[in-house]
Amino acid sequence: MKKEFAIKIKDLFVRYHNTTALENTTLNIPYGTFTGVIGMNGAGKSTLFKIIIGLTKPTSGTISICDKTPADAQKLGLVAYVPQSELVDWDFPVSVFDVVMMGRYGTQNFTKSIKDVDNKKVEEALQRVGMHEFKNRQIGELSGGQKKRVFVARALAQEAEILLLDEPFAGVDAKSEHTLTMLLLSLKNEGKTIILSTHELTSL
């Protein structure tokens, strides 16, 4: 039985050298909710996400993800991360299918051998986000909105409880933003916990 909160953060401080990125941050995010983290660039949104996925350790304070440490939550595949577009090498020679298959790596054995269930989960995820017909395309050939949907498909293939999306609407047109929003809302209604960051209030 799930407990009440997917993410619990208390009195979090993060400092980089002489710069305070987060200060006295406390929040509880219930399961099955859609939460927006709003702030200008440099306000600490990406730092918060890095704390949640275990890439950055807080200077002080506590955080639990599904009642586990961020490191343990990552090992169990409970959190999936959709990064900002500028953090991805779109020229890397990898197909849409391969990107989504990366979401299955945590379920595979040490040889990373792909099983029938992995292919099935990837196919289902691509169908869900409307990107199945593009599965053999090189990831950099897609539009901004299509790229975001591929990374959401990767999260679905991972079967994560929590989806973090860092500035998902940056660089996408209004139609793609609407399509992505409707997809995220449907996932939230199915019990997924969705957290996205944005610097634009109109995106929410």
Side-chain angles (χ1 to χ4, degrees), residues 31-34 128 181-194:
Y31 283 99
T33 55
F34 197 139
R128 180 66 191 277
T181 299
M182 292 301 100
L183 172 61
L184 295 175
L185 285 172
S186 68
L187 293 172
K188 174 259 181 188
N189 291 335
E190 293 168 15
K192 299 292 186 184
T193 304
I194 312 292

Side-chain angles (χ1 to χ4, degrees), residues 7 9 12 22 29 35-37 44-56 63 65 70 74 79-84 163-168 194-198:
I7 297 176
I9 294 173
L12 201 67
L22 291 174
I29 299 178
T35 302
V37 180
K45 304 186 302 296
S46 294
T47 297
L48 177 63
F49 279 15
K50 288 176 182 177
I51 290 287
I52 292 172
I53 62 178
L55 287 180
T56 299
I63 176 170
I65 313 296
Q74 277 299 304
V79 183
Y81 178 56
V82 178
Q84 293 186 35
L163 278 66
L164 301 179
L165 298 98
D166 199 355
E167 295 283 357
I194 312 292
I195 307 166
L196 66 82
S197 72
T198 181

